[in-house]
Amino acid sequence: MIAYPIVEQMSFDWMIALFFFLSGTSAGSFLFSMMANYWKKDYKPLATTAAWIAPIVLAIGMFIALIDLGKPSRLWRLYLYLNPTSMLSWGIWFLSIFFLITVAYLWLLKKDENKAKRLGYIGVLFALAAASYTAVLLAQAPARALWHSSMVPPLFVLGGLISGVALVILVSADKTDRALINRLGRGLGWLILLELGLIPIEVLTLLNGGADDVIAAKALLVGEYSFLFWVVEIALGAVIPAAIFLRAKASPRLQSAAAMLVLIGIFMMRYIIVMGGHM
Amino acid sequence: MKKIKENKAVALTERRLSRRDFFKLGGMAVTAVAASGVANSVAEAEKTFSLKGKRLAMVIDLQRCTACGACTIVCKNENNVQEGVAWAYRIRRTSGKFPNVRYHYMPTLCNHCEKAPCVRICPTGAMHKEDGDITAHSPEKCFGCKSCIAACPYHVISRNSRKTHRFWRDDKQLIKDCTDSPKEVAPKVGGTVIPFYNPDREKFRKGSGLRYKGIVEKCTFCDHRVKIGKLPYCVMRCPANARIFGDLNDPNSKVSEILGRYKPMRLKEHLGTEPKVFYVRSFNPGNYITGKGAV
């Protein structure tokens, strides 16, 4: 930053971005599983796949966050002490309870559908909390413009839903009924368009803000992160897969490729926000 | 394992002290002086100083500051801060075009904010406010999540992730044929050298003398010195008296006097962190001939 040119240590880096991505994906696939089971019942064949994805992806994400710590052996301190003003202090409970719920939900799906449903509704709350607390955690840093954008929480929740559904498509593209996947793909296409609509709002708000906000916005648009932003996040990660999914008929292989691109695009969205905060 | 390490550290205290004081006195010290330093510090440990109700702050007079960088160096002497990290640092900027060039120099350190974002974000309470309104850090509670580094608007917190203290393997002598090289000192202290051990800090906060790898660290306002009634080391060693330390709640303190006299500036005030490091005046060379200007 112009006002304060001191060499700083990188606080949150790509590992944290990957953790945000994986926890969001887990929450998204859990939400999709609940939706498929109890709301849009045509998608029921995919519900179990999504229910499997949630705990596995979350476990990987939490492991990555753990090895990013300086002293992972002291993680227990996080459970024993609650600082009510610290989002991270709440977040560990959101994540842990959400993880337990996803595991129990997966188990109950085979045993007792009714209990799974009741647990699932609580799980929806924790999924939303797990997907959005990370955005509020970023907003607790007062001097980092990009982390303060009001669009970050919706982008994180929506991004989680998009990457969760994309992962479900990627895993089951060639095994499941074509018509079903095509319909889900179209739904995903619209979600991606919705996310593409949020990004201009974020950038325009920043461009009209204070000096720090403008620096952050310019880093995205024309500066250090412009290639990642325009090419990887917008073009490869959103526009091209949205076009593939919204087309009436796409081959399973093309759909898998598009789902992969979506995953890369959503990760890049989080990566740019996390790294761009250091501008 | 940890216990053994600490015991060794305590055993090392006296020997290390003489070495530390040697450096503190800027290389002028002879052994006799160093020995008396040990005696002094033992006596000082008896009387501790209550900081309750105080609001400790620092004023940096930029008119007096000569940009010598002594604060950065002596901070490293006192706290054994490793390479690549500086608790006392500076903002440097050259502006203008020759011959109208200006060089800006602004010493920086942890601002010990009254509403510290690092305290707000710390999930384990390791970063906390202490008597004297010092933003302190308990190393044994910290697990290195880096959220305080993210939250700090002043970039003064860092995580100790380096391989610590390579210098003990260093065989360069500071003054040739006069001082011992670290390599020669290492066997004399038993071969078990604890990196960055600070015996003074260990007295007041258990575990903070050792500087573990993987936890965050920052300027402490030299609370190990302040608690025995001494000034922070950068204040004490500033050759230009540009750093003034004291209690904001005491209207008769030096800091209150200076803050009443000059309009202070603080870094990133708009963030509402209420920093307690104040800057007064600025280096202002020369004068100008009065005039009304022209259209």
Side-chain angles (χ1 to χ4, degrees), chain A residues 1-13 16 67-78 81-89 137-144 147 212 278, chain B residues 85 89-93 108 111 117 119-125 139-147 149-159 161 212-215 267-268 270-271 273:
Chain A
M1 224 167 279
I2 287 171
Y4 208 79
I6 280 189
V7 181
E8 62 162 320
Q9 257 189 2
M10 201 53 104
S11 52
F12 294 156
D13 50 8
I16 293 294
I67 56 177
D68 188 53
L69 294 177
K71 277 234 179 277
S73 55
R74 290 186 186 167
L75 184 73
W76 55 271
R77 286 195 179 273
L78 202 47
Y81 187 92
L82 180 74
N83 179 359
T85 57
S86 164
M87 219 46 227
L88 191 58
S89 205
L137 169 69
L138 290 183
Q140 281 203 305
R144 304 197 187 269
W147 296 358
D212 294 350
H278 295 275
Chain B
V85 178
Y89 206 52
R90 73 280 191 274
I91 298 171
R92 273 192 309 185
R93 194 159 66 239
T108 59
N111 283 281
V119 173
R120 195 168 60 210
I121 206 171
C122 181
T124 61
E140 81 278 3
K141 285 185 190 168
C142 177
F143 66 108
C145 68
K146 294 195 283 190
S147 46
I149 303 180
C152 178
Y154 307 104
H155 312 327
V156 293
I157 310 175
S158 58
R159 193 164 78 175
S161 48
Y212 297 111
K213 186 180 171 183
I215 61 170
L267 290 170
K268 293 191 183 178
H270 63 282
L271 295 174
T273 52

Side-chain angles (χ1 to χ4, degrees), chain B residues 62 66 118 136 162 221 261:
Chain B
L62 296 174
T66 58
C118 54
R162 295 222 156 195
F221 251 5
R261 204 177 287 262

Side-chain angles (χ1 to χ4, degrees), chain B residues 105-234:
Chain B
Y105 188 98
M106 200 179 220
T108 59
L109 65 158
C110 171
N111 283 281
H112 295 272
C113 312
E114 276 171 51
K115 291 171 185 155
C118 54
V119 173
R120 195 168 60 210
I121 206 171
C122 181
T124 61
M127 202 67 90
H128 61 281
K129 291 305 264 186
E130 252 190 16
D131 285 355
D133 209 24
I134 293 173
T135 307
H137 181 251
S138 299
E140 81 278 3
K141 285 185 190 168
C142 177
F143 66 108
C145 68
K146 294 195 283 190
S147 46
C148 51
I149 303 180
C152 178
Y154 307 104
H155 312 327
V156 293
I157 310 175
S158 58
R159 193 164 78 175
N160 187 1
S161 48
R162 295 222 156 195
K163 218 173 162 186
T164 44
H165 229 300
R166 294 226 239 25
F167 303 122
W168 290 106
R169 275 175 255 132
D170 198 347
D171 59 357
K172 253 186 219 138
Q173 292 166 345
L174 204 64
I175 305 166
K176 205 157 185 283
D177 298 330
C178 177
T179 57
D180 281 349
S181 71
K183 203 177 179 180
E184 286 163 323
V185 173
K188 284 182 196 166
V189 293
T192 49
V193 177
I194 286 147
F196 306 120
Y197 183 64
N198 190 336
D200 295 344
R201 290 199 58 70
E202 188 71 31
K203 263 186 276 179
F204 290 105
R205 190 166 293 123
K206 219 170 155 256
S208 68
L210 273 175
R211 314 258 328 267
Y212 297 111
K213 186 180 171 183
I215 61 170
V216 303
E217 296 167 342
K218 69 169 192 62
C219 160
T220 60
F221 251 5
C222 278
D223 61 349
H224 58 284
R225 292 175 58 87
V226 173
K227 278 172 188 163
I228 54 173
K230 282 181 168 183
L231 287 172
Y233 203 56
C234 56

Side-chain angles (χ1 to χ4, degrees), chain B residues 20-29 33 66 68-75 77-78 222 225 230-243:
Chain B
R20 285 163 48 74
D21 280 6
F22 181 83
F23 282 117
K24 277 183 191 176
L25 294 167
M28 299 183 305
V33 178
T66 58
C68 67
C71 38
T72 307
I73 297 165
V74 298
C75 174
N77 282 4
E78 175 67 22
C222 278
R225 292 175 58 87
K230 282 181 168 183
L231 287 172
Y233 203 56
C234 56
V235 176
M236 187 178 139
R237 279 280 171 255
C238 178
N241 288 349
R243 288 182 178 230

